[in-house]
Amino acid sequence: MTSIGATGPVTPESSTSGSLKEGEIAREQRYVDGVYARLEEMRAQARLFLREAFAESQAGTAAALVDRDVAVHRAARRVSELDAADDGLVFGRLDLTTGEVRYVGRLGVRTAERESLVIDWRAPAAEAFYQATSADPRDVVRRRVLHSRGHAVVDLEDDLLDAEAGADLPVLGDGAFVAALARTREGAMRDIVATIQREQDEVIRAPADGTVVVQGGPGTGKTAVALHRVAYLLFRHRRRFGSRGVLVVGPNPRFTAYIRRVLPSLGEESATLGSLGDLVAGVTAAYHDDHAIARLKGAATMARTLRRAITEEPPGAPQELRVTHRGTVVRLTGDALRALRKEVHRKRRREPNASAALARNLMLDALWRRLTELGVDDGPFPPERAAFDDDVRDQRAFTAFMAAWWPVRTPLGMLEELSDPARLRPAAGRSLGPAETEAVAASWRELREGRVSYADVALLDELDALLGRAPRVRRPVDEEDDDPYVIDGVNVLTGERVSGGMEYAELSTYADRMAGRRRGEDPVEAAPPEFGHVVVDEAQDLSPMQWRMLGRRGRHATWTVVADPAQSSWPDAEESAAAMEAVLGHRVRHDFELTTNYRNSAEIAAVAARVLAVAAPGVRPARAVRSGGAEPVIAEVPAEGLYDRAAAEAGSLARAVAGTVGVIVPPGRAAEVVRGADWPDRVQVLEALEAKGLEFDAAVIVAPEEIAVHPPVGQRTLYVALSRATQRLTVVTADPSLAGLLRD
């Protein structure tokens, strides 16, 4: 370790002036200043390299352009990493029994001579910062956490792990971790890189092969641990995961926005963040179905329903085909057409959009057989098969028939078709009862208004996979635009590829596909990308159909799955577990459980635990490690005064805490509540299902009796809502029995 300022063991007598802590802070500040000076040199070098990489394109050759692109990408990524590490770059120090001192930070920093100034927190040499304990000190005498604002060191917290070896070392503060728990939230998740605990670090550094499954109650740091694991994997296995991509999936866009800053702050910007409502290109979920409808749409049996639906003839399909060949009318009707449709599906089994050519050829075969059955006198012009095919294919009656009888179908169009109960009923079979069929079909009428539910997104993805994609090619390079029905080399009426001239197959890169998602391309045209690693947060809520959707994006991936069964909003735990196992397959699996609640004060955790005992009997809550001092407020008010009282309580809490305040309301009430009250600044109004994974300094839970209305799922959702606050909790209810439960 290169020395900048004082780096060796520091005794109380070595303090220059003022208190011991002031002297220690001053010494650490000198070291940190030196690190930032070196960081600025590294930035300057990276920017210079970036400019030089752009200059390489002046050579004008194709090779120079490729080299330029690769170099620019690497240089830009390095500049981004160095910029992201600026705030709180150095956060840890280890004093070892050997006399060596190691500083730990957001990324590695070396001198121009390649001597280490700061060790990247993901490097093996930094493991002791998170893993060392008094029982297993790992040669660490003292572990120090540096608290910074920007470039300034403002506080120090020490843990003395080897009292005998560290007799001469000063030990400051009461422990960095507990001090960090009560800090104010700012509306976005922060990284916990300076305060990762041993049980969390074991998850982060688990083997890269296979699947990591992390379980734990609210506030145990599951989400933060999963994100830090992403940063760790990309650091240690860049070639493996960087090229194939990492996907992080959360329950909703609000959650995605909440965690968006974490990975960049850890030096990683290459992961793709998404939610269950926006994983299908061109579609964004607008609402949650009510509990009963969501249960029907998400069930595994829905996959079978959709498979049957795509084999049914489309609405308005013609029932007769008439073509003429050399004066002879050839007809196909009713049973013959139905038999042909079954034959196409039997031969191809799925992906009807890719079966247009097969359908056309089988139709020509059937017409030819019918012609020969008619016993036409050949005369001077024998009806040779090739001539027959050429003649029929060019007839408008044939092309128009095929366009209507075997059209290219879209996932959205399919669900709109199934909004007719008469079409849904045969596809569903015994999976849905009469009333259920009516209810599900009615829910899909929302699609006509452009409203897609979270459950619908998974169904659209399923249909996307079932329907397949019509082949696309570039326009023939030497062919004129003679046919107005030919676009990009494909006849839009028949789906037939047009021959003639050299054709270029259209290629796309991973970056192209992701850009297409952002542009909102049709799901039929933009294949979902597959990733090298997939992180699933709030996995306990996933329906079997949502697991199938995620599985298509990680067929060959390793996984990090984060869950808490006690928070599940999916009613059938066994069905969901079976769906998860089907996706994860036989991969090597590493299971972890986090048992400490770092978020809630003990007082808030106690209120949530009372609901947990009802929602999930026998489940033991995570242990809260701190007392907040403020007892939760359980306010009983008349039903007509619920939201007025909630607004008043939110205003009071906004004055009492410096950070965020969440007002959590029953499903379907958020828009109404926002319109009906003047909410203070720093207050977010959200529905209970949107609160998954979020946290606030203070929270107001409104009408918990409406949240808990569907046991046990509603009770679990209420448990989630009650466990969002870190400092203050207020519950406003019109139900005396529920108020009694919360007060105990």
Side-chain angles (χ1 to χ4, degrees):
M1 175 72 68
T2 298
S3 175
I4 298 179
T7 61
V10 180
T11 64
E13 291 76 19
S14 67
S15 295
T16 56
S17 63
S19 70
L20 174 63
K21 176 175 278 193
E22 289 171 349
E24 291 295 293
I25 289 176
R27 289 176 180 275
E28 300 294 7
Q29 184 67 64
R30 287 196 292 273
Y31 191 90
V32 169
D33 288 343
V35 172
Y36 275 113
R38 175 57 185 156
L39 180 69
E40 193 54 45
E41 293 175 1
M42 294 165 65
R43 279 188 183 134
Q45 292 169 354
R47 292 185 181 115
L48 176 61
F49 186 75
L50 184 60
R51 290 194 297 271
E52 291 175 344
F54 274 114
E56 288 183 16
S57 64
Q58 300 304 314
T61 66
L65 291 174
V66 172
D67 291 343
R68 190 240 8 219
D69 287 345
V70 172
V72 165
H73 173 74
R74 290 175 178 171
R77 181 172 170 273
R78 184 58 173 163
V79 170
S80 178
E81 288 176 350
L82 296 174
D83 288 342
D86 189 72
D87 188 9
L89 170 60
V90 186
F91 57 77
R93 166 178 168 154
L94 296 174
D95 293 271
L96 307 181
T97 55
T98 61
E100 179 188 358
V101 174
R102 296 178 185 171
Y103 281 88
V104 180
R106 296 182 180 279
L107 83 168
V109 179
R110 293 179 177 271
T111 66
E113 293 76 28
R114 306 297 296 166
E115 295 183 33
S116 180
L117 296 176
V118 181
I119 299 169
D120 192 297
W121 70 275
R122 297 162 287 191
E127 286 185 18
F129 184 75
Y130 304 105
Q131 294 283 335
T133 64
S134 297
D136 180 20
R138 296 195 172 195
D139 297 325
V140 176
V141 178
R142 181 184 66 181
R143 173 174 49 215
R144 168 169 286 178
V145 176
L146 286 70
H147 296 283
S148 301
R149 292 194 187 99
H151 292 196
V153 180
V154 297
D155 200 3
L156 304 173
E157 298 280 351
D158 293 331
D159 290 316
L160 189 63
L161 304 182
D162 188 334
E164 183 176 347
D168 295 332
L169 287 174
V171 180
L172 306 173
D174 298 321
F177 178 62
V178 174
L181 295 179
R183 65 186 175 187
T184 297
R185 271 67 186 165
E186 297 176 346
M189 189 179 191
R190 297 179 178 180
D191 64 73
I192 60 168
V193 66
T195 55
I196 292 170
Q197 299 301 287
R198 182 167 183 161
E199 70 171 0
Q200 297 172 325
D201 192 64
E202 289 173 352
V203 179
I204 293 168
R205 299 176 194 269
D209 293 325
T211 291
V212 166
V213 178
V214 188
Q215 294 196 15
T220 53
K222 302 184 298 298
T223 298
V225 165
L227 295 174
H228 285 68
R229 177 165 172 76
V230 170
Y232 172 78
L233 291 175
L234 287 170
F235 176 79
R236 296 296 302 275
H237 306 280
R238 173 71 60 186
R239 181 168 298 185
R240 174 178 174 182
F241 295 115
S243 60
R244 296 175 58 200
V246 174
L247 173 65
V248 180
V249 180
N252 53 59
R254 191 186 290 264
F255 176 84
T256 305
Y258 176 63
I259 67 172
R260 192 172 299 279
R261 286 193 339 199
V262 175
L263 286 171
S265 73
L266 297 172
E268 293 297 343
E269 295 189 352
S270 57
T272 299
L273 271 61
S275 78
L276 294 172
D278 57 26
L279 287 182
V280 173
V283 176
T284 300
Y287 69 100
H288 290 277
D289 290 290
D290 68 41
H291 170 71
I293 298 298
R295 173 70 180 85
L296 296 171
K297 288 182 177 180
T301 53
M302 186 56 72
R304 188 164 58 248
T305 295
L306 297 179
R307 281 198 299 272
R308 284 195 289 253
I310 67 169
T311 66
E312 298 293 329
E313 67 178 30
Q319 301 302 307
E320 180 185 65
L321 170 60
R322 294 167 58 95
V323 297
T324 303
H325 179 67
R326 293 176 177 170
T328 300
V329 176
V330 185
R331 299 171 63 247
L332 292 176
T333 59
D335 291 341
L337 293 176
R338 285 189 287 273
L340 270 174
R341 186 176 297 279
K342 289 180 180 178
E343 186 178 1
V344 177
H345 285 295
R346 180 180 60 80
K347 286 180 176 292
R348 190 60 187 255
R349 294 199 175 274
R350 55 175 56 190
E351 297 190 348
N353 281 345
S355 303
L358 174 63
R360 182 186 64 248
N361 292 336
L362 291 178
M363 189 67 71
L364 289 170
D365 289 345
L367 289 168
W368 172 257
R369 287 194 301 270
R370 182 62 182 145
L371 179 65
T372 57
E373 290 169 0
L374 293 174
V376 176
D377 184 4
D378 291 350
F381 303 106
E384 297 174 355
R385 178 61 193 270
F388 173 81
D389 286 356
D390 288 343
D391 182 18
V392 172
R393 270 198 301 252
D394 289 339
Q395 294 181 33
R396 182 57 56 89
F398 180 78
T399 58
F401 175 88
M402 291 304 302
W405 190 78
W406 198 275
V408 173
R409 301 168 89 174
T410 67
L412 197 60
M414 281 296 306
L415 283 191
E416 289 177 346
E417 289 178 22
L418 295 176
S419 67
D420 179 355
R423 296 194 64 81
L424 177 58
R425 194 172 297 113
R430 297 181 181 179
S431 299
L432 299 176
E436 293 172 334
T437 299
E438 293 287 341
V440 172
S443 76
W444 284 328
R445 292 168 199 153
E446 294 281 345
L447 298 172
R448 300 169 189 171
E449 306 299 324
R451 285 169 49 80
V452 177
S453 75
Y454 278 86
D456 290 337
V457 172
L459 304 187
L460 291 171
D461 193 69
E462 187 78 18
L463 285 166
D464 187 25
L466 290 172
L467 290 169
R469 292 165 178 79
R472 297 180 66 202
V473 294
R474 293 282 187 190
R475 188 190 314 276
V477 296
D478 60 352
E479 181 172 318
E480 299 296 328
D481 295 332
D482 294 334
D483 190 341
Y485 297 101
V486 174
I487 299 176
D488 286 346
V490 178
N491 187 301
V492 296
L493 294 178
T494 66
E496 180 182 2
R497 294 175 59 178
V498 178
S499 60
M502 184 182 297
E503 297 177 341
Y504 293 110
E506 185 171 43
L507 302 178
S508 65
T509 65
Y510 165 75
D512 294 334
R513 294 193 299 271
M514 293 310 297
R517 286 186 63 216
R518 289 189 290 271
R519 290 193 299 269
E521 291 180 355
D522 191 314
V524 171
E525 300 294 350
E530 289 192 37
F531 294 86
H533 189 80
V534 180
V535 177
V536 186
D537 205 347
E538 305 294 346
Q540 74 280 346
D541 292 337
L542 267 64
S543 71
M545 295 304 296
Q546 289 171 330
W547 273 117
R548 290 172 65 88
M549 174 174 65
L550 292 182
R552 296 183 190 97
R553 287 149 179 80
R555 289 183 177 91
H556 308 291
T558 55
W559 294 69
T560 297
V561 179
V562 176
D564 177 15
Q567 298 184 57
S568 176
S569 61
W570 183 255
D572 191 332
E574 292 184 2
E575 184 185 31
S576 182
M580 182 182 80
E581 293 300 330
V583 168
L584 300 183
H586 301 292
R587 296 172 176 85
V588 176
R589 181 161 163 172
H590 310 281
D591 290 282
F592 298 89
E593 183 178 6
L594 303 178
T595 59
T596 304
N597 181 350
Y598 304 122
R599 175 194 299 147
N600 305 130
S601 67
E603 295 84 354
I604 294 172
V607 173
R610 292 167 197 146
V611 173
L612 175 63
V614 176
V619 175
R620 185 174 59 185
R623 179 179 59 90
V625 297
R626 64 183 176 86
S627 173
E631 287 291 337
V633 174
I634 312 299
E636 282 185 64
V637 299
E640 61 272 15
L642 277 173
Y643 290 96
D644 288 340
R645 178 64 178 271
E649 293 290 346
S652 176
L653 290 174
R655 292 187 292 273
V657 301
T660 56
V661 177
V663 177
I664 301 176
V665 302
R669 298 297 297 272
E672 173 189 348
V673 171
V674 169
R675 289 195 302 269
D678 182 18
W679 298 99
D681 294 338
R682 294 188 290 111
V683 173
Q684 298 181 42
V685 179
L686 66 164
E687 296 176 7
L689 288 174
E690 293 181 308
K692 293 274 185 172
L694 306 183
E695 61 183 37
F696 306 93
D697 287 280
V700 181
I701 315 302
V702 190
E705 59 272 22
E706 295 181 31
I707 296 174
V709 71
H710 294 292
V713 172
Q715 294 164 338
R716 294 175 193 158
T717 304
L718 177 57
Y719 170 59
V720 172
L722 291 168
S723 59
R724 298 305 97 192
T726 66
Q727 299 179 34
R728 304 285 187 96
L729 173 67
T730 297
V731 180
V732 182
T733 178
D735 186 335
S737 62
L738 186 52
L741 171 66
L742 298 178
R743 293 195 188 105
D744 194 24

